[in-house]
Amino acid sequence: MGFVTILILVLAALVILSILFSIFKFFIGLLPVAIIVAVIIWLLAKFSGNKKDTDETNSHNPLQPSTNNQKRKKARDVSVKDVEDKEDNKNG
């Protein structure tokens, strides 16, 4: 490999690196702005008065009691029947 070939390879690498550096320099310059925007959006979401997401997650779990403060109406005209066991039906 001669000196001219090595010089051409180094110059080609230099051109490619300079193009990549200019592109990445643009992105690196915008990175602080993107981080600031992300923090502002996160703060708005965190401190907004909308607590709907936490209520929905609690209402989907049947093991936890509902945290709603709404009072339920009392049931009217309700009758209760005893449930027969399956074992009683098999043995009887």
Side-chain angles (χ1 to χ4, degrees):
M1 203 182 273
F3 177 72
V4 176
T5 309
I6 293 174
L7 185 63
I8 291 172
L9 288 175
V10 169
L11 289 175
L14 183 65
V15 169
I16 292 170
L17 285 176
S18 64
I19 292 170
L20 287 176
F21 179 73
S22 65
I23 292 171
F24 285 123
K25 185 177 177 183
F26 177 71
F27 285 121
I28 290 171
L30 288 179
L31 188 61
V33 176
I35 290 173
I36 291 171
V37 168
V39 167
I40 290 172
I41 292 172
W42 177 72
L43 286 173
L44 286 174
K46 182 172 179 151
F47 292 116
S48 68
N50 191 2
K51 301 291 181 187
K52 190 174 183 180
D53 295 336
T54 57
D55 291 342
E56 287 179 3
T57 56
N58 288 338
S59 65
H60 291 300
N61 191 352
L63 298 178
Q64 292 181 347
S66 178
T67 58
N68 294 339
N69 293 332
Q70 298 173 353
K71 296 193 175 192
R72 297 176 121 186
K73 293 183 179 180
K74 291 190 176 185
R76 293 186 229 164
D77 300 326
V78 176
S79 61
V80 179
K81 282 203 242 180
D82 289 336
V83 178
E84 295 179 9
D85 291 333
K86 291 181 181 179
E87 294 176 5
D88 291 341
N89 291 337
K90 290 180 184 176
N91 295 334

